[in-house]
Amino acid sequence: MKHLHRTGPAAALAVAASLALAACGGGSGFDDSSDPSTDGGGGGEAIQILIGSSGDAETQAVEEAVAAWSEESGTEATVQAATDLAQELSQGFTSNNPPDVFYVSTDALAGYAANGSLLAYGDQLANADDFYPTLVDAFTIDDQFYCAPKDFSTLGLVINTRLWKDAGLTDADVPTTWDELADVAETLTQGKVVGLTFGPEYQRVGSFFPQAGGSMVSEDGSEATVDSPENLEALDFVQQMMDDGVASYSSTLGAGWGGEAFGKELAAMTIEGNWIAGAMQNDFPDVDYTVAELPEGPAGPGTLAFTNCWGIAAQSGNQDDAVSLVEYLTQADQQLTFADAFGVIPSVQSAAESYAADRPEFQPFVAGAEYAQNPPAQEGAADVIADFNAQLEGLEGGDPQAILESVQQSMQAVVGQ
């Protein structure tokens, strides 16, 4: 089994932080030098970019990329890292002075689109067909491709190679089905070490839904599908592993998230995203690990995708240059530079081969993009998921059917708006 030791970009944990930053609203706190009433169309006005940065590595990488575009295009551009992205965006839009370009998460998209804050420019990009279809879907509303996915992450099965070997397991034992996952989790559960851990939340437990053929909403987003036989099968499987003592929530193990429980070797396997690389390098450099795709369920492979996009304000006085900048930032070479700098996975398919060749250990995360399911992005869905997470904390010893029925009602109220 090929293992990882002190591998991955130093700031790969950045993804987790940046994915949590965008929210409903808009605005920046930039000065009022630009006239928001000016029509977009290459007027040459300075471009203002607001990002929800995870740290210095991400900020510096974006600043360098924007500076290169600025020199090439002849248009001034400045980058500002938000302290509170949601609040600063809200202030900017309230004062009719939003940044031209800014990070937008999937759960913030519907709110921005509904109030007319966003320019729907995705189809204008020369590289529009290069983005992974799953990511395009995440930022499409009513057949309008609003904004370019800037990068993404998926969930994989992270395995402690020392504990794996000590349990007598080999490469041939890497699980590819639910039954195999339960079997190796049992084998790895020894002493104070549990076989598998994950966070008590939909963002981890929900990865079993598509493996069973389930989802939170219908493909067209018009109907809640939480209370389904497929999702029940998924929760029953997770609950059974917990009841058998071979899987535990990270919180049950006294850890803040799956990566911490895994790094402290409280668990031999965890379900996490590619951002775990930074945490392992920075906090647990002596723990060797490898990554595999999540095992297939009754319906086949499945994982969850998490992403942000480059939003452009509908009020921007220089929309043409803003679109040009985003096109530059999302080209394959630039995304690979970002990947080196702060650990993200490029959102364009043309970068996949090069990314995987340079980082073969993270190929399972890239492979997941082909079948990943997006979390619900309807306006209000974030609140429903927060409630779902609270209920999932009681899954062990709880009633999976009752949980699904409760969340079904809340989600249907959201999609039925």
Side-chain angles (χ1 to χ4, degrees):
M1 175 183 291
K2 183 173 182 178
H3 65 266
L4 304 182
H5 183 66
R6 302 188 184 187
T7 58
L13 187 60
V15 182
S18 63
L19 287 172
L21 284 170
C24 300
S28 72
F30 292 114
D31 64 45
D32 294 323
S33 59
S34 61
D35 178 4
S37 66
T38 303
D39 290 335
E45 295 180 8
I47 297 292
Q48 310 279 11
I49 303 100
L50 184 67
I51 65 173
S53 181
S54 55
D56 292 341
E58 180 171 0
T59 300
Q60 182 177 343
V62 175
E63 286 176 341
E64 291 175 353
V66 170
W69 172 84
S70 184
E71 182 176 356
E72 181 180 300
S73 67
T75 298
E76 291 185 20
T78 57
V79 177
Q80 180 173 319
T83 301
D84 185 326
L85 183 62
Q87 182 182 48
E88 292 174 42
L89 283 172
S90 179
Q91 291 171 348
F93 277 107
T94 299
S95 63
N96 290 319
N97 182 38
D100 299 277
V101 180
F102 49 94
Y103 285 7
V104 178
S105 67
T106 53
D107 62 356
L109 178 69
Y112 283 124
N115 63 27
S117 297
L118 278 184
L119 173 70
Y121 70 88
D123 290 329
Q124 299 177 33
L125 298 170
N127 60 344
D129 293 336
D130 196 16
F131 297 104
Y132 287 99
T134 297
L135 304 182
V136 173
D137 290 344
F139 294 107
T140 297
I141 296 178
D142 295 333
D143 297 324
Q144 284 191 295
F145 178 21
Y146 269 85
C147 48
K150 75 179 192 70
D151 48 51
F152 76 98
S153 60
T154 63
L155 299 175
L157 183 67
V158 188
I159 301 169
N160 182 307
T161 53
R162 181 186 66 81
L163 295 175
W164 187 268
K165 183 178 179 180
D166 289 350
L169 298 171
T170 68
D171 287 359
D173 297 308
V174 173
T176 59
T177 67
W178 279 6
D179 287 344
E180 292 174 358
L181 176 63
D183 287 344
V184 296
E186 181 179 8
T187 301
L188 290 164
T189 300
Q190 300 181 18
K192 295 182 178 180
V193 178
V194 70
L196 176 66
T197 190
F198 38 81
E201 57 185 350
Y202 158 74
Q203 291 87 344
R204 299 296 179 274
V205 177
S207 62
F208 290 94
F209 287 0
Q211 295 163 19
S215 62
M216 293 287 283
V217 297
S218 59
E219 189 171 343
D220 64 3
S222 65
E223 182 180 356
T225 57
V226 183
D227 183 14
S228 69
E230 293 80 8
N231 288 347
L232 180 60
E233 184 176 15
L235 288 190
D236 282 343
F237 173 70
V238 173
Q239 186 184 59
Q240 187 63 57
M241 286 196 295
M242 298 171 80
D243 289 345
D244 291 342
V246 302
S248 293
Y249 282 147
S250 53
S251 54
T252 303
L253 301 177
W257 64 296
E260 181 186 354
F262 180 80
K264 290 181 176 179
E265 297 193 313
L266 302 174
M269 300 183 293
T270 188
I271 296 173
E272 277 299 336
N274 44 289
W275 51 77
I276 197 174
M280 296 304 294
Q281 178 170 312
N282 296 334
D283 301 329
F284 310 104
D286 296 324
V287 177
D288 297 345
Y289 67 100
T290 190
V291 182
E293 292 180 59
L294 293 179
E296 295 186 11
T303 187
L304 297 179
F306 305 95
T307 180
N308 284 334
C309 80
W310 292 103
I312 295 179
Q315 290 177 282
S316 171
N318 194 353
Q319 292 178 357
D320 283 355
D321 277 340
V323 171
S324 172
L325 170 61
V326 171
E327 198 168 82
Y328 181 90
L329 295 174
T330 55
Q331 62 184 337
D333 288 347
Q334 183 56 60
Q335 291 210 46
L336 288 169
T337 299
F338 286 155
D340 289 335
F342 55 99
V344 291
I345 300 177
S347 61
V348 289
Q349 299 172 85
S350 59
E353 184 175 349
S354 178
Y355 178 91
D358 292 341
R359 307 160 189 80
E361 63 271 22
F362 295 120
Q363 173 57 27
F365 293 123
V366 180
E370 297 295 332
Y371 51 80
Q373 187 176 97
N374 296 312
Q378 286 80 3
E379 190 172 6
D383 292 335
V384 176
I385 291 175
D387 174 64
F388 191 13
N389 291 345
Q391 296 193 53
L392 283 173
E393 291 179 5
L395 177 61
E396 186 174 7
D399 184 347
Q401 181 65 61
I403 293 174
L404 293 176
E405 289 175 356
S406 172
V407 179
Q408 169 73 22
Q409 295 179 9
S410 300
M411 186 62 74
Q412 186 57 48
V414 165
V415 300
Q417 293 184 75

